[in-house]
Amino acid sequence: MRHNIAVLLSGNGSNLRAIIDKGLEVSFVASNNPKALGLKIAKNANIPSYSWKNVSILEKEVLKLIIDYDVKLLALAGYMRLLSKNFVNSLPSKFIVNIHPSLLPKYKGMNAIKQAIEDSAEYTGVTIHHVDVEMDSGYIIKQERIKINENDTAKSLKDRLQKIEHRLYFETIKFILNKKKKD
Ligand code: GAR
């Protein structure tokens, strides 16, 4: 069964891998980084993959691909660029989802995990939200909290957060797709 989701990423693609491994079919993957490991993951899974360094070209092409592949949901999985207003407003509301390694609205942007440690926060977590025109903003769909241990480093905390991400992103995307089917 095709799930008609597309993924935008800039880096490692561990969330993409988790989504694929758990059985969601991805229509295409696109990146602003031609060297992103996530593109290799897509290729190995026989998923069409594209990259454009120029993000305004990327956005134009992705909008066309969304129509060509009849995509129903666009998932950002470590896409480290802010989407333009024009791009976001060209798509139906709640069409784009993002995953972020903090309890938003805390620690937006890059280095969210480092920010939490430097802040000596007691808790941090994972947020999945719909994307609007602001950075790491938009309606929060799901959050999961974890305690930061005294001996946590950015690396150990990232490892624990990513374990959560890999389960939670799949579950949440599945939930959204099922809900869309019923609407
Ligand atoms: C993930 O931890 C995701 O939450 C974060 O980038 C990582 C990508 O990992 N996204 C953001 O910080 C968005 N602001 P991955 O490439 O291994 O999936």
Side-chain angles (χ1 to χ4, degrees):
M1 187 192 121
R2 289 210 72 78
H3 296 99
N4 302 78
I5 71 166
V7 173
L8 270 184
L9 53 77
S10 302
N12 285 338
S14 70
N15 278 285
L16 169 69
R17 190 196 296 275
I19 289 168
I20 299 169
D21 287 352
K22 289 181 195 306
L24 283 181
E25 263 183 51
V26 176
S27 302
F28 73 87
V29 173
S31 180
N32 62 312
N33 172 14
K35 292 188 178 145
L37 285 176
L39 290 172
K40 284 203 182 126
I41 293 172
K43 279 188 195 124
N44 289 340
N46 290 319
I47 296 167
S49 59
Y50 305 87
S51 72
W52 295 274
K53 277 189 190 170
N54 179 316
V55 289
S56 65
I57 296 176
L58 177 144
E59 289 187 354
K60 273 190 199 133
E61 295 298 326
V62 167
L63 284 177
K64 286 190 225 157
L65 290 170
I66 283 172
I67 295 168
D68 291 350
Y69 285 93
D70 191 25
V71 166
K72 298 285 186 275
L73 188 77
L74 177 62
L76 310 187
Y79 182 66
M80 295 310 201
R81 300 300 297 264
L82 186 62
L83 293 169
S84 73
K85 260 188 194 156
N86 179 59
F87 181 85
V88 175
N89 292 335
S90 300
L91 294 166
S93 75
K94 300 192 172 171
F95 194 90
I96 314 171
V97 287
N98 182 39
I99 187 158
H100 185 78
S102 78
L103 295 173
L104 289 173
K106 280 216 150 196
Y107 315 127
K108 294 183 176 188
M110 308 276 276
N111 305 317
I113 298 169
K114 214 168 140 231
Q115 288 182 59
I117 287 192
E118 283 171 1
D119 200 23
S120 305
E122 204 181 342
Y123 294 97
T124 189
V126 171
T127 301
I128 297 167
H129 63 97
H130 286 299
V131 172
D132 65 15
V133 293
E134 310 290 332
M135 185 181 54
D136 296 323
S137 170
Y139 177 83
I140 291 173
I141 309 162
K142 198 99 192 164
Q143 282 188 317
E144 202 165 301
R145 191 175 82 152
I146 56 169
K147 196 162 168 41
I148 302 179
N149 300 326
E150 249 173 55
N151 55 355
D152 258 326
T153 59
K155 161 97 177 64
S156 66
L157 190 52
K158 180 179 172 190
D159 289 346
R160 288 200 289 132
L161 286 168
Q162 285 222 311
K163 258 193 201 139
I164 296 173
E165 290 192 336
H166 298 161
R167 168 180 49 79
L168 204 62
Y169 213 13
F170 166 75
E171 285 173 2
T172 309
I173 290 173
K174 196 93 196 284
F175 172 80
I176 295 170
L177 292 171
N178 282 338
K179 197 164 167 290
K180 273 182 192 282
K181 255 194 252 158
K182 285 182 202 146
D183 285 347

